[in-house]
Amino acid sequence: MSIKAKLMLVFMTSLLGLVAIFAVNYWGYRLVENSRKVRMLANEGVEFFLQARRQEKNFLLRMDSSYFKKALEYAGESAQKVTGLQHFSPDLKEICLRTSSSIDDYEKYLTEMHGHYVAKGLTMDDGLRWRFIKAARNMEEAFKEGGVDTDLLI
């Protein structure tokens, strides 16, 4: 084998090595970027769901329906982030479907709970609570008009 052939062999081996290094580096970079996007979407989904829970707590404490609407908005955004995860990683498809189902259940039960609280009455002047107070006041007025002593009824 001549020196020229040996140099060409060394050159070709070096070139193939550089191409292999470039290919592995490019493939690794794409995997790392994909995992970063998956992690970012998952974290954003968790953050939006935590915001939904925070707004749910605010609704329960303050009895204001605007917090209920915000909770539904945040839960919807969380569901969108989970749906976006499916496109980046097919391995997570089943987990994402279960999570989406859980978020849908959360929205359904939150809406049902809101309906019950509205029916009961968010404040003293609306809902079943107000009808009960009004009926009790009307009953007291009827007793006063009839001359019945309300202290004896207790």
Side-chain angles (χ1 to χ4, degrees):
M1 195 175 212
S2 71
I3 294 200
K4 182 179 178 183
K6 288 180 183 178
L7 285 175
M8 283 301 276
L9 184 62
V10 169
F11 175 72
M12 292 303 274
T13 306
S14 299
L15 188 63
L16 283 175
L18 285 173
V19 169
I21 289 171
F22 175 76
V24 167
N25 188 23
Y26 179 74
W27 182 67
Y29 175 77
R30 290 191 38 103
L31 284 177
V32 168
E33 280 301 309
N34 192 22
S35 66
R36 284 182 183 161
K37 288 178 183 176
V38 166
R39 185 171 24 133
M40 183 185 69
L41 279 173
N43 286 339
E44 287 176 357
V46 168
E47 287 173 11
F48 280 121
F49 193 72
L50 288 174
Q51 285 292 338
R53 294 300 311 266
R54 189 169 291 125
Q55 297 304 324
E56 171 195 348
K57 177 193 67 125
N58 287 339
F59 167 72
L60 292 173
L61 290 174
R62 296 181 177 94
M63 295 297 171
D64 185 0
S65 289
S66 67
Y67 294 111
F68 162 73
K69 293 173 188 169
K70 288 179 186 177
L72 286 181
E73 288 173 14
Y74 283 123
E77 289 179 29
S78 176
Q80 287 175 352
K81 296 296 181 183
V82 169
T83 304
L85 277 174
Q86 293 178 13
H87 301 298
F88 285 106
S89 180
D91 300 337
L92 297 175
K93 185 173 184 176
E94 187 174 322
I95 294 170
C96 290
L97 290 175
R98 284 187 304 200
T99 304
S100 294
S101 173
S102 297
I103 292 173
D104 291 341
D105 289 345
Y106 172 78
E107 289 175 340
K108 181 179 86 172
Y109 294 131
L110 181 65
T111 303
E112 186 177 327
M113 180 193 65
H114 177 259
H116 290 309
Y117 271 95
V118 168
K120 183 179 89 172
L122 296 176
T123 65
M124 297 299 278
D125 297 334
D126 60 351
L128 183 61
R129 184 182 302 171
W130 176 244
R131 290 195 304 259
F132 177 75
I133 291 170
K134 200 163 52 171
R137 288 178 183 165
N138 289 341
M139 184 178 67
E140 287 176 0
E141 288 297 321
F143 282 139
K144 285 180 184 175
E145 289 175 3
V148 178
D149 188 11
T150 56
D151 291 334
L152 294 175
L153 293 175
I154 298 176

